[in-house]
Amino acid sequence: MYKRLLSAALIIMLLLSAWSPISIQASDGINDIRGHWAEEDLSKWMEKGILLGYQDGTIRPDNNITRAEFVTLINKVFGFYELSQEQFSDVENSKWYSGEILKARTAGYIAGYGNNVFKPENYITRQEAVVIIAKVFEIQSGSNYTSKFKDGGLVKEYAKDSVSALIEKGYIAGYEDGTFRPDNYITRAETIKILNRIIPSLYNGKGDYKDEEINGNALINTEGVALKDTVVNGDLYLAQGIQNGDVVLEGVDVKGTVFVNGGGSDSIHLINTKVNRVVVNKTGVRIVTSGNSSVESVVVKSGAKLQEKELTGDGFKKVTVDSQLSSRNEIIFVGDFEQVDVLADDALLETKEAKMKLRISGQRIKINGKTIEKSPKNYIVDGELISTEEESDPSDVPGAENDQNTGSPGSSTNPAPTKNPNEEWRLVWSDEFDSPEINMANWSYDDPTNGRWNGEVQSYTQNNAYIKDGALVIEARKEDITEPSGETYHYSSSKLITKGKKSWKYGKFEIRQKCHRDKVYGLQSG
């Protein structure tokens, strides 16, 4: 009886191991990738411990990859570790991938299908894979490039933005026959090829790395990494796998954006480092600039601490507290900041050891425990002392609220006379549409699921807005668009908004546009 039970247990173990991925090094004598078109990339990612082989020692690069295998790969790249409390109804806890799917759900890059199902053992399509990749790497595009493919019309509406973004960056190019084949399944080799194009440099082991020039993006997914004397000609991802640990950037020049999604109170140290832009989205992280360091702009989407210490460079220049900041999150400032703009509502700021010019556009802002009112003027902050920048009376400020406005629509004269009728308007924002693509630093695309007004019967897509001959073109088309809600609309258009990028309550707007006769077009503010 004991032998029979033991035999049964061994059979079960063998069956499980036959389907579970295992770690295999490139030097283990694997022969099914030799001579493969992606051999170099496959070997590299195996050595990093990201790409796992099968129990029989093979990689099977041309195998289709399942949805469960795909999210496991993404989790390993970023080091996602937090587990969701809610599992999909079709994912059994006993499956090897159960925990990986919980990580992906918490990370927010998967939502599954209707009725709370994920279909983990289904193969993932090329367009589904691209949507996930664009989301986790925060890759966006302001144009529609799907028409570059012969079968671009087959790309589903939900995937067009993501496919366009990866085409624009050169991460995907399709097949030699000019097709993309969006509904085809993606293979293991194709997945690795795309990931390697996006992040040619991946640091997933503790240690010092130096004297590099990275022609592309880089990603750090573990604590204890010191990147020194390196130029990153792209973006740098400080991923979730850093958890609450520390990372040092010393003598580093990042030409793109540093995405801070990992790190804790010990912090991310920037020493003699130059960064174009930082996006902070990790609650509790401390970012310290020291030495000859400069950061042109910072966008803060979570509670954080920004500190300047023993600084000889410019440090943090412009800081924007993003409108996406969760309510009651606190941002601590230590140092001398050139300009801080608060777009979020209910933000908490501590400035006891800071100086700054402060512009508040959000509601119910508290600084050092005191509520500060929204104002078109700058505040001057010096520790706990807060005063208004010396300007004219509020009613003298161009665009200040005034009920005497008698300006007619389309008038080129200033609306609402001020106490000084000759007051000059100050240009604070403009877009001449003189670049080949829409400037997504100025605009966002609105989504009709945010609400419809005035009996709108069209669906908004990014495809209907583009720049041609130095002008913004927004087309209204008669076509059927089925939205994620399942509702079909028979017309399409596009809506560009400045909310979240540039926002004002008062001001004067001038626009030059060409319209069809007897048609109504709207410029909406609010």
Side-chain angles (χ1 to χ4, degrees), residues 6-263:
L6 179 60
S7 175
L10 286 171
I11 290 172
I12 292 171
M13 289 174 65
L14 286 170
L15 286 172
L16 287 173
S17 64
W19 290 100
S20 302
I22 63 169
S23 179
I24 298 176
Q25 298 299 314
S27 59
D28 286 347
I30 298 173
N31 56 25
D32 70 334
I33 67 170
R34 288 176 186 161
H36 192 275
W37 60 267
E39 178 182 359
E40 184 178 346
D41 295 334
L42 293 166
S43 297
K44 172 183 171 181
W45 284 66
M46 288 163 57
E47 290 171 356
K48 291 285 186 181
I50 303 296
L51 177 62
L52 303 181
Y54 293 91
Q55 189 69 29
D56 62 0
T58 61
I59 292 296
R60 308 176 195 174
D62 294 319
N63 273 21
N64 297 327
I65 188 169
T66 68
R67 291 167 58 80
E69 289 172 334
F70 189 85
V71 300
T72 300
L73 197 61
I74 295 296
N75 290 344
K76 284 183 172 294
V77 170
F78 284 85
F80 293 126
Y81 62 95
E82 294 185 60
L83 300 178
S84 172
Q85 298 301 308
E86 181 184 4
Q87 185 58 279
F88 292 101
S89 60
D90 61 340
V91 178
E92 299 175 16
N93 291 333
S94 59
K95 295 290 187 179
W96 66 265
Y97 48 72
S98 174
E100 299 297 335
I101 292 173
L102 290 174
K103 292 176 189 176
R105 193 164 199 177
T106 293
Y109 68 83
I110 61 169
Y113 299 93
N115 300 319
N116 193 37
V117 298
F118 183 67
K119 304 179 183 178
E121 295 181 12
N122 281 18
Y123 294 128
I124 190 167
T125 66
R126 289 167 57 80
Q127 63 186 341
E128 288 173 339
V130 165
V131 168
I132 289 177
I133 289 171
K135 188 166 188 175
V136 292
F137 284 104
E138 301 187 46
I139 305 171
Q140 299 176 335
S141 173
S143 302
N144 177 24
Y145 289 97
T146 57
S147 60
K148 289 181 176 289
F149 296 121
K150 292 179 180 178
D151 58 350
L154 299 178
V155 177
K156 300 291 194 300
E157 190 65 32
Y158 76 86
K160 284 182 178 178
D161 296 345
S162 300
V163 172
S164 294
L166 266 65
I167 295 172
E168 182 178 332
K169 293 288 187 179
Y171 300 142
I172 59 175
Y175 294 94
E176 292 182 356
D177 63 359
T179 62
F180 177 62
R181 307 174 195 174
D183 291 314
N184 280 22
Y185 300 128
I186 195 168
T187 67
R188 290 162 61 81
E190 289 170 335
T191 301
I192 292 298
K193 189 68 177 180
I194 295 173
L195 291 176
N196 194 67
R197 283 175 176 164
I198 297 174
I199 42 169
S201 293
L202 171 66
Y203 304 95
N204 63 341
K206 296 181 180 181
D208 292 3
Y209 304 86
K210 62 185 302 183
D211 297 325
E212 289 192 73
E213 180 164 1
I214 300 168
N215 292 316
N217 307 318
L219 186 147
I220 298 172
N221 72 2
T222 188
E223 64 175 337
V225 170
L227 190 60
K228 301 179 179 180
D229 304 323
T230 295
V231 177
V232 181
N233 292 308
D235 299 329
L236 174 61
Y237 297 86
L238 303 182
Q240 287 80 350
I242 297 169
Q243 298 190 30
N244 294 319
D246 63 291
V247 165
V248 176
L249 304 181
E250 184 174 353
V252 175
D253 185 357
V254 182
K255 304 296 186 181
T257 299
V258 175
F259 294 95
V260 180
N261 294 307

Side-chain angles (χ1 to χ4, degrees), residues 154-436:
L154 299 178
V155 177
K156 300 291 194 300
E157 190 65 32
Y158 76 86
K160 284 182 178 178
D161 296 345
S162 300
V163 172
S164 294
L166 266 65
I167 295 172
E168 182 178 332
K169 293 288 187 179
Y171 300 142
I172 59 175
Y175 294 94
E176 292 182 356
D177 63 359
T179 62
F180 177 62
R181 307 174 195 174
D183 291 314
N184 280 22
Y185 300 128
I186 195 168
T187 67
R188 290 162 61 81
E190 289 170 335
T191 301
I192 292 298
K193 189 68 177 180
I194 295 173
L195 291 176
N196 194 67
R197 283 175 176 164
I198 297 174
I199 42 169
S201 293
L202 171 66
Y203 304 95
N204 63 341
K206 296 181 180 181
D208 292 3
Y209 304 86
K210 62 185 302 183
D211 297 325
E212 289 192 73
E213 180 164 1
I214 300 168
N215 292 316
N217 307 318
L219 186 147
I220 298 172
N221 72 2
T222 188
E223 64 175 337
V225 170
L227 190 60
K228 301 179 179 180
D229 304 323
T230 295
V231 177
V232 181
N233 292 308
D235 299 329
L236 174 61
Y237 297 86
L238 303 182
Q240 287 80 350
I242 297 169
Q243 298 190 30
N244 294 319
D246 63 291
V247 165
V248 176
L249 304 181
E250 184 174 353
V252 175
D253 185 357
V254 182
K255 304 296 186 181
T257 299
V258 175
F259 294 95
V260 180
N261 294 307
S265 59
D266 191 20
S267 57
I268 307 299
H269 297 269
L270 309 182
I271 306 169
N272 300 323
T273 287
K274 182 180 179 181
V275 178
N276 179 49
R277 180 171 177 260
V278 173
V279 176
V280 184
N281 200 4
K282 171 62 165 65
T283 301
V285 69
R286 180 172 71 122
I287 305 176
V288 181
T289 56
S290 61
N292 188 24
S293 291
S294 66
V295 180
E296 292 296 323
S297 68
V298 182
V299 178
V300 184
K301 297 184 177 182
S302 67
K305 183 175 184 178
L306 303 180
Q307 180 177 358
E308 297 177 338
K309 182 179 180 181
E310 300 174 359
L311 187 68
T312 59
D314 293 329
F316 298 105
K317 291 187 177 181
K318 182 177 180 181
V319 178
T320 301
V321 180
D322 194 81
S323 58
Q324 296 179 23
L325 181 78
S326 298
S327 175
R328 317 308 294 176
N329 267 236
E330 183 178 45
I331 302 168
I332 302 172
F333 295 89
V334 177
D336 194 343
F337 298 81
E338 186 176 300
Q339 179 73 43
V340 176
D341 294 333
V342 181
L343 306 182
D345 295 332
D346 301 302
L348 306 177
L349 276 61
E350 182 183 304
T351 65
K352 295 176 182 178
E353 300 178 73
K355 295 180 180 180
M356 66 185 69
K357 278 188 177 181
L358 177 68
R359 179 66 60 91
I360 294 179
S361 301
Q363 305 284 353
R364 301 175 299 278
I365 308 303
K366 285 191 175 182
I367 303 178
N368 306 318
K370 298 179 181 178
T371 301
I372 305 297
E373 297 297 328
K374 175 179 177 180
S375 172
K377 300 180 182 179
N378 272 323
Y379 288 100
I380 304 300
V381 178
D382 187 350
E384 296 191 65
L385 298 176
I386 303 174
S387 58
T388 305
E389 189 175 33
E390 287 300 322
E391 291 183 352
S392 54
D393 185 84
S395 59
D396 291 334
V397 177
E401 192 170 19
N402 193 316
D403 292 332
Q404 299 177 14
N405 183 6
T406 58
S408 60
S411 170
S412 61
T413 59
N414 290 350
T418 64
K419 290 183 179 178
N420 179 3
N422 296 319
E423 181 71 53
E424 291 292 332
W425 288 92
R426 178 169 57 91
L427 181 65
V428 295
W429 179 91
S430 67
D431 197 332
E432 295 294 331
F433 303 107
D434 51 3
S435 59

